[in-house]
Amino acid sequence: MRVLLLSWEYPPLMVGGLGRHVHALSTALAEAGQQVTVVTRHVPDAPPEELVDGVHVVRAPEDPLRFPATGSTLLAHVMSANHTMTRAALRIADGARYDVVHAHDWLVAHSAITLREKLDVPLVATIHATEIGRHQGWLPEDLNRAIHSVECWLANQADRVVACSHYMRWEISRLLGVPNQRIDVVVNGVDRELWRVAPASVAAARLRYAGSGPLIGFAGRLVYEKGVQDIVAALPRLRAAHPGLRLVVAGDGPHRGELQEHVDRLRLRPAVSFAGFLGDDLPAVIAATDVMIVPSIYEPFGMIALEAVAAGVPVVAADTGGLKEVVEPGHTGMTFPVGDPDAMARAVSRLLRDQTVARRIVKAGNRMLDRYSWDVIAERTLRVYRGTVTGELDLASLTHRPAPESAPAATPALAAAAEQTVVLSATG
């Protein structure tokens, strides 16, 4: 198939899990013999167009406009980028023919819908997260309501919508107003080879970040909904139980300053390393930890949990969202109630104290990874593409396990929002 993917980020432009997902999916599709083109934003020192890993990558340069990607100008910045991405896509589509357009999240909605209409091909949209979900059922500001409106527009304009978990299928249906029969569950994947790290690299990372005691870690964007503040709150108890314990925080984001202030108030700065965005160094740092923590308040899937398992590290995760479908308590990881630092500390301590349990969990997790390989994910995605084009979908074959008999549990605020049918049209 000839596939045109639209993504806000793609290597070397990487912000979070979205870029890793689109890169892995597009290369796996290309390896499976599909003709894949990715249109994304340009960054300095990256070629405007290239063929890499079998994928035709087109990077649209910014127009000479100055809209900072923060605050009240965020939407203007996104719209400006969508204009240039649309023009870039139309240039390469001149004389070509695509079978499907695949949009990844609201950030490329305007470009995706324009291309669907101009090229007269079906549109598949993957909704990686929702604005109302990030805010636990609330849309506090005009900007949040505007983003929610764009998400609703994209999801309802798309011929098919892809969700990364059964939990997200529930969220897209109930919070964005998309009928269940138009939503397919195709989980995220993990590349095992990427997370198999040479012992020398692991030793170097431990030398840099660990001290005389255990090393625990977090990786992800530093935003409130990722829950890093709960790890910080659990540190005094953990360090009392495990002298010399240290924490490495891999990632960056708007919550970083507040987290550092929290660490300083607890007088824990020597015990915490804010490593920033690590890129290619991330696998070694994760592999160097004794336990990785995924403390998310909101998590559609939780790809970092799979990546930690692939790196050979046991996971402690919040019992929420898509994480509940990845981390099976006591089998493929340990879990704790959302927002409960004491319970988190107990789960982490259990793994640090009992290496037999930790090794058993890593072994069980590795057996689980077979169903999350990118070649499997690519094949499921192709079934969605083909079914969208032909109008015939084998929904049962798309999921890696049967759907839950009942709707996945949501937070009270999200459940209340769903009951009130909080859906905004594109016109408000």
Side-chain angles (χ1 to χ4, degrees):
M1 297 191 73
R2 291 154 297 187
V3 184
L4 178 61
L5 285 94
L6 302 172
S7 179
W8 190 249
E9 56 186 90
Y10 196 85
L13 175 59
M14 299 286 275
V15 179
L18 175 63
R20 299 207 307 280
H21 173 97
V22 178
H23 176 243
L25 174 62
S26 60
T27 54
L29 287 169
E31 288 173 1
Q34 315 310 310
Q35 297 179 32
V36 182
T37 298
V38 174
V39 176
T40 186
R41 295 180 296 152
H42 187 260
V43 288
D45 301 324
E49 190 170 349
E50 65 177 334
L51 182 67
V52 56
D53 297 326
V55 178
H56 180 201
V57 183
V58 178
R59 299 182 178 92
E62 289 186 9
D63 288 327
L65 306 171
R66 292 295 175 263
F67 297 120
T70 56
S72 61
T73 58
L74 173 62
L75 287 181
H77 173 81
V78 170
M79 289 294 293
S80 175
N82 270 254
H83 279 296
T84 186
M85 289 174 67
T86 300
R87 296 199 306 273
L90 288 174
R91 280 196 302 272
I92 62 165
D94 188 23
R97 173 70 185 175
Y98 291 97
D99 296 306
V100 66
V101 174
H102 188 175
H104 286 268
D105 242 16
W106 74 274
L107 290 158
V108 297
H110 288 81
S111 182
I113 292 170
T114 300
L115 291 168
R116 190 272 300 271
E117 294 179 359
K118 178 66 177 176
L119 303 179
D120 191 26
V121 295
L123 171 62
V124 173
T126 295
I127 306 297
H128 291 267
T130 69
E131 189 71 4
I132 194 169
R134 292 187 189 97
H135 291 273
Q136 295 295 291
W138 308 104
L139 294 167
E141 305 290 343
D142 286 344
L143 176 61
N144 309 116
R145 289 187 282 275
I147 293 172
H148 177 64
S149 179
V150 177
E151 289 173 343
C152 292
W153 181 49
L154 173 62
N156 285 279
Q157 285 288 314
D159 297 278
R160 303 295 305 179
V161 177
V162 174
C164 60
S165 63
H166 292 293
Y167 168 77
M168 273 305 293
R169 188 183 191 206
W170 175 90
E171 196 171 301
I172 292 167
S173 176
R174 298 296 295 275
L175 301 179
L176 301 186
V178 181
N180 254 327
Q181 61 268 27
R182 285 184 44 235
I183 308 171
D184 308 311
V185 177
V186 181
V187 297
N188 286 329
V190 63
D191 182 351
R192 289 190 184 191
E193 291 303 315
L194 181 65
W195 300 93
R196 287 174 178 161
V197 186
S201 298
V202 176
R206 278 201 74 88
L207 183 64
R208 180 171 184 179
Y209 295 109
S212 59
L215 178 65
I216 61 174
F218 166 88
R221 287 199 71 221
L222 302 188
V223 290
Y224 177 79
E225 62 265 25
K226 290 297 183 181
V228 190
Q229 61 276 6
D230 291 328
I231 303 182
V232 175
L235 275 180
R237 176 171 179 162
L238 281 168
R239 281 178 58 81
H242 307 277
L245 178 142
R246 291 187 181 180
L247 165 68
V248 57
V249 177
D252 211 340
H255 200 40
R256 178 170 179 161
E258 188 174 336
L259 288 168
Q260 289 174 326
E261 290 175 4
H262 191 183
V263 168
D264 289 341
R265 285 195 301 271
L266 294 174
R267 299 183 179 181
L268 290 172
R269 179 56 70 93
V272 181
S273 297
F274 286 91
F277 183 79
L278 291 178
D280 293 340
D281 295 330
L282 181 61
V285 172
I286 289 179
T289 63
D290 296 292
V291 175
M292 281 295 292
I293 306 175
V294 189
S296 304
I297 296 170
Y298 171 72
E299 191 62 72
F301 182 78
M303 190 156 40
I304 193 64
L306 291 181
E307 292 167 343
V309 170
V313 178
V315 173
V316 169
D319 186 17
T320 189
L323 281 171
K324 297 175 71 170
E325 299 171 36
V326 175
V327 182
E328 184 181 343
H331 182 58
T332 59
M334 304 293 287
T335 62
F336 63 93
V338 175
D340 189 337
D342 287 340
M344 177 201 298
R346 289 194 295 271
V348 172
S349 288
R350 171 82 187 280
L351 292 176
L352 292 178
R353 285 176 173 149
D354 195 333
Q355 288 301 300
T356 300
V357 171
R359 285 192 294 269
R360 187 184 72 229
I361 281 176
V362 169
K363 188 175 181 180
N366 265 286
R367 288 195 298 268
M368 169 190 71
L369 291 182
D370 287 341
R371 63 175 180 253
Y372 293 102
S373 66
W374 278 109
D375 57 342
V376 172
I377 307 309
E379 177 55 35
R380 292 181 185 134
T381 304
L382 273 172
R383 292 178 193 170
V384 174
Y385 293 162
R386 292 170 180 145
T388 304
V389 171
T390 64
E392 299 175 358
L393 277 163
D394 178 11
L395 298 181
S397 69
L398 292 174
T399 56
H400 67 283
R401 62 179 183 178
E405 293 182 3
S406 58
T411 64
L414 276 177
E419 288 299 320
Q420 296 173 34
T421 319
V422 182
V423 177
L424 305 179
S425 71
T427 59

